[in-house]
Amino acid sequence: MTTTPDLATLTGEYTIDPAHTTIGFTARHAMVTNVKGKFLDFSGALHLDGTDPAKSTATLDVTMDSIDTGSPDRDGHLKSSDFFKTDEFPKMTFRSTSAESLGGDDYRITGDLTILGTTRPISIDLEFNGAAKDPFGNERVGFEGKAEIKRSDWGLTWNAALETGGVLVSDKIKLNFDISAIKQA
């Protein structure tokens, strides 16, 4: 595998590879520990412009029933009317509205995140991990990203008070992305 040093050669259309991508999150639980989870079913596309990164775009569609925190009971609760109401709102979507280079391998993509039918802006900081041709001849790019949101901004307000003070589930949720995308022919 060889790394491509010239970003201009990366310009093109890409499809996110779900087998090599993680769309994850972390929430504080009971004020003392972090619970991590991810979504197992999603699709997305990138348009990369290596010459003018501001012209780059991204879309992501996540199937909310695919949530996985390692606990079937907790996953069932997250799918219920207390949280994601997956029967009524089966998808979470992201549509970029702008992209910018922050210098070096760092970028920021801003867009509209829709959860429970509510759309709000979010900015995701991304680090470009590189580009390579895999053993099957696919041109790949990789990015790691992170963002923080307040779940209450999307109407996710269920909680339980703790005897010792505080709440069971934090309002602040950390999002993390480890993205591998394949260039379309």
PDB file of all heavy atoms in Angstrom, residues 132-158:
ATOM      1  N   ALA A 132      -4.606   5.540   0.358  1.00  0.00           N
ATOM      2  CA  ALA A 132      -3.840   4.376  -0.069  1.00  0.00           C
ATOM      3  C   ALA A 132      -4.656   3.563  -1.062  1.00  0.00           C
ATOM      4  O   ALA A 132      -5.881   3.633  -1.089  1.00  0.00           O
ATOM      5  CB  ALA A 132      -3.493   3.502   1.136  1.00  0.00           C
ATOM      6  N   LYS A 133      -3.951   2.779  -1.868  1.00  0.00           N
ATOM      7  CA  LYS A 133      -4.612   1.787  -2.721  1.00  0.00           C
ATOM      8  C   LYS A 133      -4.545   0.472  -1.967  1.00  0.00           C
ATOM      9  O   LYS A 133      -3.470   0.033  -1.564  1.00  0.00           O
ATOM     10  CB  LYS A 133      -3.914   1.670  -4.061  1.00  0.00           C
ATOM     11  CG  LYS A 133      -4.616   0.695  -5.007  1.00  0.00           C
ATOM     12  CD  LYS A 133      -3.947   0.629  -6.351  1.00  0.00           C
ATOM     13  CE  LYS A 133      -4.576   1.688  -7.236  1.00  0.00           C
ATOM     14  NZ  LYS A 133      -4.265   1.493  -8.658  1.00  0.00           N
ATOM     15  N   ASP A 134      -5.735  -0.141  -1.735  1.00  0.00           N
ATOM     16  CA  ASP A 134      -5.748  -1.397  -0.988  1.00  0.00           C
ATOM     17  C   ASP A 134      -5.385  -2.568  -1.913  1.00  0.00           C
ATOM     18  O   ASP A 134      -5.266  -2.388  -3.133  1.00  0.00           O
ATOM     19  CB  ASP A 134      -7.077  -1.577  -0.243  1.00  0.00           C
ATOM     20  CG  ASP A 134      -8.269  -1.855  -1.133  1.00  0.00           C
ATOM     21  OD1 ASP A 134      -8.100  -2.306  -2.285  1.00  0.00           O
ATOM     22  OD2 ASP A 134      -9.412  -1.642  -0.660  1.00  0.00           O
ATOM     23  N   PRO A 135      -5.198  -3.767  -1.361  1.00  0.00           N
ATOM     24  CA  PRO A 135      -4.790  -4.914  -2.174  1.00  0.00           C
ATOM     25  C   PRO A 135      -5.802  -5.302  -3.269  1.00  0.00           C
ATOM     26  O   PRO A 135      -5.473  -6.065  -4.163  1.00  0.00           O
ATOM     27  CB  PRO A 135      -4.655  -6.055  -1.156  1.00  0.00           C
ATOM     28  CG  PRO A 135      -4.436  -5.381   0.140  1.00  0.00           C
ATOM     29  CD  PRO A 135      -5.186  -4.090   0.062  1.00  0.00           C
ATOM     30  N   PHE A 136      -7.027  -4.769  -3.195  1.00  0.00           N
ATOM     31  CA  PHE A 136      -8.066  -5.085  -4.168  1.00  0.00           C
ATOM     32  C   PHE A 136      -8.191  -4.005  -5.238  1.00  0.00           C
ATOM     33  O   PHE A 136      -9.109  -4.039  -6.046  1.00  0.00           O
ATOM     34  CB  PHE A 136      -9.402  -5.295  -3.454  1.00  0.00           C
ATOM     35  CG  PHE A 136      -9.293  -6.289  -2.331  1.00  0.00           C
ATOM     36  CD1 PHE A 136      -9.242  -5.853  -1.018  1.00  0.00           C
ATOM     37  CD2 PHE A 136      -9.187  -7.647  -2.589  1.00  0.00           C
ATOM     38  CE1 PHE A 136      -9.115  -6.760   0.021  1.00  0.00           C
ATOM     39  CE2 PHE A 136      -9.054  -8.561  -1.551  1.00  0.00           C
ATOM     40  CZ  PHE A 136      -9.007  -8.114  -0.246  1.00  0.00           C
ATOM     41  N   GLY A 137      -7.272  -3.020  -5.205  1.00  0.00           N
ATOM     42  CA  GLY A 137      -7.257  -1.957  -6.202  1.00  0.00           C
ATOM     43  C   GLY A 137      -8.135  -0.767  -5.879  1.00  0.00           C
ATOM     44  O   GLY A 137      -8.271   0.148  -6.685  1.00  0.00           O
ATOM     45  N   ASN A 138      -8.743  -0.748  -4.700  1.00  0.00           N
ATOM     46  CA  ASN A 138      -9.586   0.386  -4.299  1.00  0.00           C
ATOM     47  C   ASN A 138      -8.731   1.537  -3.791  1.00  0.00           C
ATOM     48  O   ASN A 138      -7.834   1.329  -2.983  1.00  0.00           O
ATOM     49  CB  ASN A 138     -10.543  -0.029  -3.170  1.00  0.00           C
ATOM     50  CG  ASN A 138     -11.521  -1.088  -3.590  1.00  0.00           C
ATOM     51  OD1 ASN A 138     -12.176  -0.967  -4.617  1.00  0.00           O
ATOM     52  ND2 ASN A 138     -11.618  -2.142  -2.800  1.00  0.00           N
ATOM     53  N   GLU A 139      -9.030   2.733  -4.257  1.00  0.00           N
ATOM     54  CA  GLU A 139      -8.404   3.946  -3.715  1.00  0.00           C
ATOM     55  C   GLU A 139      -9.196   4.334  -2.474  1.00  0.00           C
ATOM     56  O   GLU A 139     -10.407   4.531  -2.551  1.00  0.00           O
ATOM     57  CB  GLU A 139      -8.433   5.086  -4.731  1.00  0.00           C
ATOM     58  CG  GLU A 139      -7.612   4.834  -5.977  1.00  0.00           C
ATOM     59  CD  GLU A 139      -6.109   4.952  -5.738  1.00  0.00           C
ATOM     60  OE1 GLU A 139      -5.698   5.528  -4.713  1.00  0.00           O
ATOM     61  OE2 GLU A 139      -5.356   4.441  -6.586  1.00  0.00           O
ATOM     62  N   ARG A 140      -8.518   4.416  -1.332  1.00  0.00           N
ATOM     63  CA  ARG A 140      -9.170   4.712  -0.057  1.00  0.00           C
ATOM     64  C   ARG A 140      -8.620   6.001   0.548  1.00  0.00           C
ATOM     65  O   ARG A 140      -7.452   6.319   0.381  1.00  0.00           O
ATOM     66  CB  ARG A 140      -8.920   3.595   0.949  1.00  0.00           C
ATOM     67  CG  ARG A 140      -9.619   2.321   0.639  1.00  0.00           C
ATOM     68  CD  ARG A 140      -9.348   1.280   1.739  1.00  0.00           C
ATOM     69  NE  ARG A 140     -10.101   0.085   1.488  1.00  0.00           N
ATOM     70  CZ  ARG A 140     -11.326  -0.139   1.947  1.00  0.00           C
ATOM     71  NH1 ARG A 140     -11.913   0.736   2.726  1.00  0.00           N
ATOM     72  NH2 ARG A 140     -11.960  -1.247   1.644  1.00  0.00           N
ATOM     73  N   VAL A 141      -9.486   6.672   1.309  1.00  0.00           N
ATOM     74  CA  VAL A 141      -9.071   7.775   2.171  1.00  0.00           C
ATOM     75  C   VAL A 141      -9.582   7.484   3.574  1.00  0.00           C
ATOM     76  O   VAL A 141     -10.582   6.774   3.741  1.00  0.00           O
ATOM     77  CB  VAL A 141      -9.592   9.153   1.696  1.00  0.00           C
ATOM     78  CG1 VAL A 141      -8.963   9.549   0.378  1.00  0.00           C
ATOM     79  CG2 VAL A 141     -11.113   9.169   1.610  1.00  0.00           C
ATOM     80  N   GLY A 142      -8.883   8.019   4.564  1.00  0.00           N
ATOM     81  CA  GLY A 142      -9.297   7.816   5.942  1.00  0.00           C
ATOM     82  C   GLY A 142      -9.301   9.111   6.722  1.00  0.00           C
ATOM     83  O   GLY A 142      -8.427   9.964   6.537  1.00  0.00           O
ATOM     84  N   PHE A 143     -10.291   9.258   7.579  1.00  0.00           N
ATOM     85  CA  PHE A 143     -10.430  10.421   8.449  1.00  0.00           C
ATOM     86  C   PHE A 143     -10.846   9.950   9.834  1.00  0.00           C
ATOM     87  O   PHE A 143     -11.611   9.006   9.969  1.00  0.00           O
ATOM     88  CB  PHE A 143     -11.523  11.376   7.941  1.00  0.00           C
ATOM     89  CG  PHE A 143     -11.220  12.048   6.647  1.00  0.00           C
ATOM     90  CD1 PHE A 143     -11.594  11.483   5.438  1.00  0.00           C
ATOM     91  CD2 PHE A 143     -10.557  13.262   6.636  1.00  0.00           C
ATOM     92  CE1 PHE A 143     -11.330  12.108   4.242  1.00  0.00           C
ATOM     93  CE2 PHE A 143     -10.287  13.900   5.438  1.00  0.00           C
ATOM     94  CZ  PHE A 143     -10.677  13.319   4.236  1.00  0.00           C
ATOM     95  N   GLU A 144     -10.357  10.642  10.868  1.00  0.00           N
ATOM     96  CA  GLU A 144     -10.864  10.485  12.227  1.00  0.00           C
ATOM     97  C   GLU A 144     -11.508  11.799  12.611  1.00  0.00           C
ATOM     98  O   GLU A 144     -10.954  12.859  12.349  1.00  0.00           O
ATOM     99  CB  GLU A 144      -9.731  10.179  13.209  1.00  0.00           C
ATOM    100  CG  GLU A 144      -9.260   8.753  13.174  1.00  0.00           C
ATOM    101  CD  GLU A 144      -8.192   8.523  14.219  1.00  0.00           C
ATOM    102  OE1 GLU A 144      -8.526   8.490  15.423  1.00  0.00           O
ATOM    103  OE2 GLU A 144      -7.027   8.376  13.825  1.00  0.00           O
ATOM    104  N   GLY A 145     -12.676  11.721  13.250  1.00  0.00           N
ATOM    105  CA  GLY A 145     -13.379  12.932  13.602  1.00  0.00           C
ATOM    106  C   GLY A 145     -13.995  12.866  14.974  1.00  0.00           C
ATOM    107  O   GLY A 145     -14.187  11.791  15.546  1.00  0.00           O
ATOM    108  N   LYS A 146     -14.300  14.066  15.500  1.00  0.00           N
ATOM    109  CA  LYS A 146     -14.964  14.139  16.798  1.00  0.00           C
ATOM    110  C   LYS A 146     -15.800  15.404  16.879  1.00  0.00           C
ATOM    111  O   LYS A 146     -15.525  16.405  16.213  1.00  0.00           O
ATOM    112  CB  LYS A 146     -13.952  14.078  17.938  1.00  0.00           C
ATOM    113  CG  LYS A 146     -12.971  15.220  17.963  1.00  0.00           C
ATOM    114  CD  LYS A 146     -11.949  15.046  19.065  1.00  0.00           C
ATOM    115  CE  LYS A 146     -10.947  16.187  18.983  1.00  0.00           C
ATOM    116  NZ  LYS A 146      -9.900  16.082  19.953  1.00  0.00           N
ATOM    117  N   ALA A 147     -16.827  15.314  17.706  1.00  0.00           N
ATOM    118  CA  ALA A 147     -17.701  16.449  17.967  1.00  0.00           C
ATOM    119  C   ALA A 147     -18.386  16.198  19.299  1.00  0.00           C
ATOM    120  O   ALA A 147     -18.417  15.066  19.793  1.00  0.00           O
ATOM    121  CB  ALA A 147     -18.742  16.604  16.858  1.00  0.00           C
ATOM    122  N   GLU A 148     -18.911  17.259  19.885  1.00  0.00           N
ATOM    123  CA  GLU A 148     -19.715  17.139  21.098  1.00  0.00           C
ATOM    124  C   GLU A 148     -21.052  17.798  20.843  1.00  0.00           C
ATOM    125  O   GLU A 148     -21.120  18.857  20.224  1.00  0.00           O
ATOM    126  CB  GLU A 148     -19.031  17.812  22.287  1.00  0.00           C
ATOM    127  CG  GLU A 148     -17.855  17.039  22.811  1.00  0.00           C
ATOM    128  CD  GLU A 148     -17.293  17.618  24.112  1.00  0.00           C
ATOM    129  OE1 GLU A 148     -17.837  18.622  24.633  1.00  0.00           O
ATOM    130  OE2 GLU A 148     -16.312  17.049  24.603  1.00  0.00           O
ATOM    131  N   ILE A 149     -22.108  17.137  21.320  1.00  0.00           N
ATOM    132  CA  ILE A 149     -23.443  17.715  21.218  1.00  0.00           C
ATOM    133  C   ILE A 149     -24.129  17.614  22.570  1.00  0.00           C
ATOM    134  O   ILE A 149     -23.702  16.852  23.435  1.00  0.00           O
ATOM    135  CB  ILE A 149     -24.302  17.005  20.143  1.00  0.00           C
ATOM    136  CG1 ILE A 149     -24.554  15.546  20.514  1.00  0.00           C
ATOM    137  CG2 ILE A 149     -23.675  17.139  18.765  1.00  0.00           C
ATOM    138  CD1 ILE A 149     -25.581  14.851  19.630  1.00  0.00           C
ATOM    139  N   LYS A 150     -25.182  18.402  22.733  1.00  0.00           N
ATOM    140  CA  LYS A 150     -26.084  18.255  23.875  1.00  0.00           C
ATOM    141  C   LYS A 150     -27.309  17.534  23.344  1.00  0.00           C
ATOM    142  O   LYS A 150     -27.998  18.047  22.464  1.00  0.00           O
ATOM    143  CB  LYS A 150     -26.484  19.619  24.434  1.00  0.00           C
ATOM    144  CG  LYS A 150     -25.402  20.308  25.206  1.00  0.00           C
ATOM    145  CD  LYS A 150     -25.947  21.587  25.816  1.00  0.00           C
ATOM    146  CE  LYS A 150     -24.932  22.226  26.722  1.00  0.00           C
ATOM    147  NZ  LYS A 150     -25.492  23.425  27.366  1.00  0.00           N
ATOM    148  N   ARG A 151     -27.569  16.357  23.875  1.00  0.00           N
ATOM    149  CA  ARG A 151     -28.684  15.558  23.359  1.00  0.00           C
ATOM    150  C   ARG A 151     -30.016  16.278  23.536  1.00  0.00           C
ATOM    151  O   ARG A 151     -30.939  16.103  22.739  1.00  0.00           O
ATOM    152  CB  ARG A 151     -28.693  14.162  23.968  1.00  0.00           C
ATOM    153  CG  ARG A 151     -28.888  14.098  25.447  1.00  0.00           C
ATOM    154  CD  ARG A 151     -28.694  12.664  25.971  1.00  0.00           C
ATOM    155  NE  ARG A 151     -28.903  12.606  27.398  1.00  0.00           N
ATOM    156  CZ  ARG A 151     -30.066  12.320  27.970  1.00  0.00           C
ATOM    157  NH1 ARG A 151     -31.114  12.049  27.244  1.00  0.00           N
ATOM    158  NH2 ARG A 151     -30.159  12.293  29.280  1.00  0.00           N
ATOM    159  N   SER A 152     -30.112  17.129  24.550  1.00  0.00           N
ATOM    160  CA  SER A 152     -31.355  17.865  24.781  1.00  0.00           C
ATOM    161  C   SER A 152     -31.684  18.814  23.620  1.00  0.00           C
ATOM    162  O   SER A 152     -32.855  19.134  23.398  1.00  0.00           O
ATOM    163  CB  SER A 152     -31.281  18.644  26.094  1.00  0.00           C
ATOM    164  OG  SER A 152     -30.203  19.559  26.084  1.00  0.00           O
ATOM    165  N   ASP A 153     -30.678  19.236  22.858  1.00  0.00           N
ATOM    166  CA  ASP A 153     -30.916  20.100  21.696  1.00  0.00           C
ATOM    167  C   ASP A 153     -31.766  19.403  20.642  1.00  0.00           C
ATOM    168  O   ASP A 153     -32.356  20.049  19.777  1.00  0.00           O
ATOM    169  CB  ASP A 153     -29.600  20.554  21.062  1.00  0.00           C
ATOM    170  CG  ASP A 153     -28.856  21.579  21.914  1.00  0.00           C
ATOM    171  OD1 ASP A 153     -29.462  22.158  22.844  1.00  0.00           O
ATOM    172  OD2 ASP A 153     -27.658  21.803  21.636  1.00  0.00           O
ATOM    173  N   TRP A 154     -31.815  18.080  20.670  1.00  0.00           N
ATOM    174  CA  TRP A 154     -32.604  17.295  19.731  1.00  0.00           C
ATOM    175  C   TRP A 154     -33.816  16.658  20.412  1.00  0.00           C
ATOM    176  O   TRP A 154     -34.414  15.731  19.874  1.00  0.00           O
ATOM    177  CB  TRP A 154     -31.737  16.215  19.072  1.00  0.00           C
ATOM    178  CG  TRP A 154     -30.869  16.774  17.993  1.00  0.00           C
ATOM    179  CD1 TRP A 154     -31.164  16.857  16.654  1.00  0.00           C
ATOM    180  CD2 TRP A 154     -29.581  17.356  18.138  1.00  0.00           C
ATOM    181  NE1 TRP A 154     -30.129  17.465  15.985  1.00  0.00           N
ATOM    182  CE2 TRP A 154     -29.143  17.773  16.870  1.00  0.00           C
ATOM    183  CE3 TRP A 154     -28.731  17.578  19.236  1.00  0.00           C
ATOM    184  CZ2 TRP A 154     -27.917  18.391  16.657  1.00  0.00           C
ATOM    185  CZ3 TRP A 154     -27.506  18.197  19.025  1.00  0.00           C
ATOM    186  CH2 TRP A 154     -27.116  18.588  17.752  1.00  0.00           C
ATOM    187  N   GLY A 155     -34.158  17.124  21.602  1.00  0.00           N
ATOM    188  CA  GLY A 155     -35.332  16.616  22.295  1.00  0.00           C
ATOM    189  C   GLY A 155     -35.096  15.311  23.036  1.00  0.00           C
ATOM    190  O   GLY A 155     -36.051  14.669  23.467  1.00  0.00           O
ATOM    191  N   LEU A 156     -33.837  14.909  23.190  1.00  0.00           N
ATOM    192  CA  LEU A 156     -33.501  13.686  23.931  1.00  0.00           C
ATOM    193  C   LEU A 156     -33.297  14.075  25.398  1.00  0.00           C
ATOM    194  O   LEU A 156     -32.185  14.350  25.830  1.00  0.00           O
ATOM    195  CB  LEU A 156     -32.239  13.043  23.350  1.00  0.00           C
ATOM    196  CG  LEU A 156     -32.399  12.482  21.939  1.00  0.00           C
ATOM    197  CD1 LEU A 156     -31.053  12.265  21.277  1.00  0.00           C
ATOM    198  CD2 LEU A 156     -33.196  11.192  21.986  1.00  0.00           C
ATOM    199  N   THR A 157     -34.402  14.086  26.141  1.00  0.00           N
ATOM    200  CA  THR A 157     -34.346  14.650  27.499  1.00  0.00           C
ATOM    201  C   THR A 157     -34.602  13.644  28.609  1.00  0.00           C
ATOM    202  O   THR A 157     -34.521  14.001  29.786  1.00  0.00           O
ATOM    203  CB  THR A 157     -35.375  15.792  27.629  1.00  0.00           C
ATOM    204  OG1 THR A 157     -36.666  15.282  27.303  1.00  0.00           O
ATOM    205  CG2 THR A 157     -35.023  16.954  26.700  1.00  0.00           C
ATOM    206  N   TRP A 158     -34.900  12.369  28.275  1.00  0.00           N
ATOM    207  CA  TRP A 158     -35.172  11.397  29.328  1.00  0.00           C
ATOM    208  C   TRP A 158     -33.971  11.311  30.266  1.00  0.00           C
ATOM    209  O   TRP A 158     -32.823  11.349  29.841  1.00  0.00           O
ATOM    210  CB  TRP A 158     -35.442  10.010  28.741  1.00  0.00           C
ATOM    211  CG  TRP A 158     -35.756   9.010  29.819  1.00  0.00           C
ATOM    212  CD1 TRP A 158     -36.995   8.688  30.288  1.00  0.00           C
ATOM    213  CD2 TRP A 158     -34.832   8.227  30.587  1.00  0.00           C
ATOM    214  NE1 TRP A 158     -36.898   7.759  31.293  1.00  0.00           N
ATOM    215  CE2 TRP A 158     -35.576   7.453  31.504  1.00  0.00           C
ATOM    216  CE3 TRP A 158     -33.451   8.110  30.607  1.00  0.00           C
ATOM    217  CZ2 TRP A 158     -35.004   6.571  32.402  1.00  0.00           C
ATOM    218  CZ3 TRP A 158     -32.856   7.238  31.507  1.00  0.00           C
ATOM    219  CH2 TRP A 158     -33.628   6.470  32.389  1.00  0.00           C
TER     220      TRP A 158
END
